[in-house]
Amino acid sequence: MRMDYVQTHAEEIYDSLTAGRAKYLRIDELVRAAAVAYPGLVPTDEQMAAERSRPQAEKAGREIDQGIFLRGILRAPKAGQHLLDAMLRPTTRALQLLPEFVESGVVQMEAVRLERRDGVAYVTLCRDDCLNAEDVEQVDDMETAVDLALLDPSVRVGMVRGGEMTHPRYLGRRVFCAGINLKKLSSGDIPLVDFLLRRELGYIHKIVRGVFTGDSWHSPFVDKPWLAAVDSFAIGGGAQLLLVFDHVVAASDAYFSLPAAKEGIIPGASNFRLSRITGPRVARQVILGGRQIRADEPDARLLVDEVVAPGEMDVAISRALASLDADAVRANRRMLNLAEEPPDEFRRYMAEFALQQALRIYGEDVISKVGRFGAG
C-alpha cells in the first residue's frame, strides 16, 4: 500500500531525492523528483498536466497520491523538518527582484504591490477585480513580497493591507481578502501543491518563522514583526492570515469568517492556531458552524488588537507600526512564536493536512458546492 510504503521508507526516500539532505527541494520540486525516481509513487508531469486541463469535477484525483506522499515525508522528523526549511528559503523570483527592490523600494506585481517607506514594507493586496480572492498567482506574489520584505536590510517592519477596489459592490473601498477563489477551485485551478500547501508552508510560515538563509550564527532565519490592517472583511484565507500577525488593526465595520466547513474544505492551519487564540468553543463556532464575527463585538478582540473607526485607520496603523519598530520586538516575537507554535507540532499538523485537504478537494460535497461558480 502506498501510504505504508512512504511512511516506512520516508527518510530513505527523502535522502535519496535530496542527496542526503544536501539539496533543498521545494514541495513542487520534490514531488517531480519522486515521480522520476520512484515510478508510480506520485503522478508524473504528464499526468498532472492532463489533470490541470480539466475542471475539478472531471479530474482523476491524482493529487491524493501527492498528499499521501507529502504526509509521509512531513511525518518523518528529519525529512519533514528539512522540507520545512526548504520551503522557508527565499524563492528564485524574490532573489532576482531583490536588487531592484533594494534600489527602488517598489515592486509592482499582478496581485500585490510592495513599497518600502521609512523602514516599513507596505504589502498591498491589489486584485481589485475579485476582492483579493486567493489563487496561485496571488500566493506566488505574496511569497515574493514577503521574501523581499524580509531580505531587504532597510525594512524593519512588514505590513499587509487590502487596496481600493473597482468591484461595483465595494467601489473605492479597501478590502482585505475574500478568501479562496471559488471560481478557480471549480475550474480546477486551485492545486494542492502549488496553492493549498505552498501558501501554508511558504509565505504564511515565513511570516511566523522568517526566511531561512543559514547565514547567521545566532539564527538561520531572518524574521521581522508584521502588522495587518483589515478594512471591510477578512474571509476564509484572509481570516486565516490574521492568526500569524503580531498586531492586527481592524475598522469597526469589518467582519471575519472562516466558511471552509460550508465549502467543504479545511481552512489551512486555522484548526491548528485558532483554538489557541480564541479558545476551543469560539474556534468550533467559527470553523464548524460558520460563525461570522463582527469587529464591534467582544469576541473580535480575540482576533484583533485594535478596532477603530474607518476614518481613523491610517492613524492607528502608524501608531502600531511605530510600536513594532522597538529594538526588542524582534527577539521577543521570535520567542513567543517558538513557544506558541513549536516547529514539530506544526510539521505534524501539516503532514495530516496534506492528505486530508487532498481528499477534501475531491469530495462530492465540495464539487457540488463550488460547481455553481464554474458557470460564471
Short mmCIF file of all heavy atoms in Angstrom, two decimals, residues 14 95 163 216 218 287 296 308:
data_model
loop_
_atom_site.label_atom_id
_atom_site.label_comp_id
_atom_site.label_asym_id
_atom_site.label_seq_id
_atom_site.Cartn_x
_atom_site.Cartn_y
_atom_site.Cartn_z
N TYR A 14 13.50 10.42 1.08
CA TYR A 14 13.86 11.84 1.08
C TYR A 14 15.36 12.03 0.92
O TYR A 14 15.81 12.89 0.16
CB TYR A 14 13.38 12.50 2.37
CG TYR A 14 13.50 14.00 2.36
CD1 TYR A 14 12.54 14.80 1.72
CD2 TYR A 14 14.57 14.65 2.96
CE1 TYR A 14 12.64 16.17 1.69
CE2 TYR A 14 14.68 16.02 2.94
CZ TYR A 14 13.72 16.79 2.30
OH TYR A 14 13.83 18.15 2.27
N LEU A 95 14.82 36.47 -5.17
CA LEU A 95 16.25 36.77 -5.26
C LEU A 95 16.57 37.57 -6.52
O LEU A 95 17.45 38.44 -6.51
CB LEU A 95 17.05 35.47 -5.22
CG LEU A 95 17.02 34.72 -3.88
CD1 LEU A 95 17.71 33.37 -4.02
CD2 LEU A 95 17.67 35.55 -2.77
N GLY A 163 -6.05 46.78 -0.89
CA GLY A 163 -6.13 48.03 -1.63
C GLY A 163 -7.56 48.42 -1.95
O GLY A 163 -8.52 47.73 -1.59
N SER A 216 23.57 33.34 9.64
CA SER A 216 23.99 33.91 10.91
C SER A 216 24.21 32.84 11.96
O SER A 216 23.46 31.86 12.04
CB SER A 216 22.93 34.90 11.42
OG SER A 216 23.25 35.35 12.72
N HIS A 218 23.71 33.16 15.10
CA HIS A 218 22.73 33.24 16.17
C HIS A 218 21.32 32.83 15.73
O HIS A 218 20.47 32.53 16.56
CB HIS A 218 22.69 34.64 16.80
CG HIS A 218 22.44 35.75 15.83
ND1 HIS A 218 21.19 36.09 15.39
CD2 HIS A 218 23.30 36.60 15.22
CE1 HIS A 218 21.28 37.10 14.55
NE2 HIS A 218 22.54 37.43 14.43
N ILE A 287 -15.23 27.64 12.83
CA ILE A 287 -14.80 26.68 11.81
C ILE A 287 -15.90 25.68 11.47
O ILE A 287 -16.17 25.40 10.29
CB ILE A 287 -13.53 25.94 12.27
CG1 ILE A 287 -12.35 26.91 12.34
CG2 ILE A 287 -13.20 24.79 11.33
CD1 ILE A 287 -11.07 26.32 12.91
N ASP A 296 -17.04 44.91 15.86
CA ASP A 296 -17.54 45.67 17.00
C ASP A 296 -18.14 44.79 18.10
O ASP A 296 -18.72 45.31 19.05
CB ASP A 296 -18.57 46.71 16.54
CG ASP A 296 -19.79 46.08 15.86
OD1 ASP A 296 -19.82 44.84 15.72
OD2 ASP A 296 -20.69 46.84 15.46
N VAL A 308 -10.95 50.40 15.35
CA VAL A 308 -11.09 51.86 15.28
C VAL A 308 -12.09 52.21 14.19
O VAL A 308 -12.42 51.39 13.33
CB VAL A 308 -9.73 52.54 14.98
CG1 VAL A 308 -8.70 52.19 16.05
CG2 VAL A 308 -9.19 52.12 13.60
#
